Amino acid sequence: MEKVDVVAKTHTASARILGCTADHYVRRHILHGACCADVICIEEFSQVEAALWAQFNTPEGIQWLLSRDFNQFAPVF
């Protein structure tokens, strides 16, 4: 069985999917710990900025599941 971690950029989105924010996940599991997930699911991946993507790219052998609603507003940055 694979371990799946679910993250989103905003606090509201992460609460709705019972996950954590992308910033918290990177700090806790990638920068200051060991990422033991087999799959990382990112909700609203278009909201994640380039610097955070660079940090997400650190662990090897991770499968990604990205989702986005193309009918929502575009990112503000």
Side-chain angles (χ1 to χ4, degrees):
M1 179 172 248
E2 294 183 336
K3 182 177 183 314
V4 178
D5 288 341
V6 183
V7 301
K9 179 60 183 166
T10 65
H11 290 283
T12 301
S14 62
R16 288 183 180 169
I17 61 174
L18 303 176
C20 66
T21 64
D23 297 285
H24 173 78
Y25 188 86
V26 165
R27 279 192 312 275
R28 183 165 184 179
H29 296 284
I30 295 177
L31 297 178
H32 297 292
C35 181
C36 59
D38 299 312
V39 179
I40 298 176
C41 175
I42 299 183
E43 172 70 22
E44 289 298 328
F45 73 91
S46 63
Q47 299 293 321
V48 178
E49 64 270 11
L52 201 56
W53 276 117
Q55 294 171 339
F56 266 123
N57 196 31
T58 304
E60 296 180 7
I62 303 287
Q63 287 183 321
W64 298 93
L65 180 60
L66 307 176
S67 68
R68 176 177 180 212
D69 182 357
F70 289 98
N71 293 319
Q72 287 189 347
F73 295 117
V76 293
F77 44 83

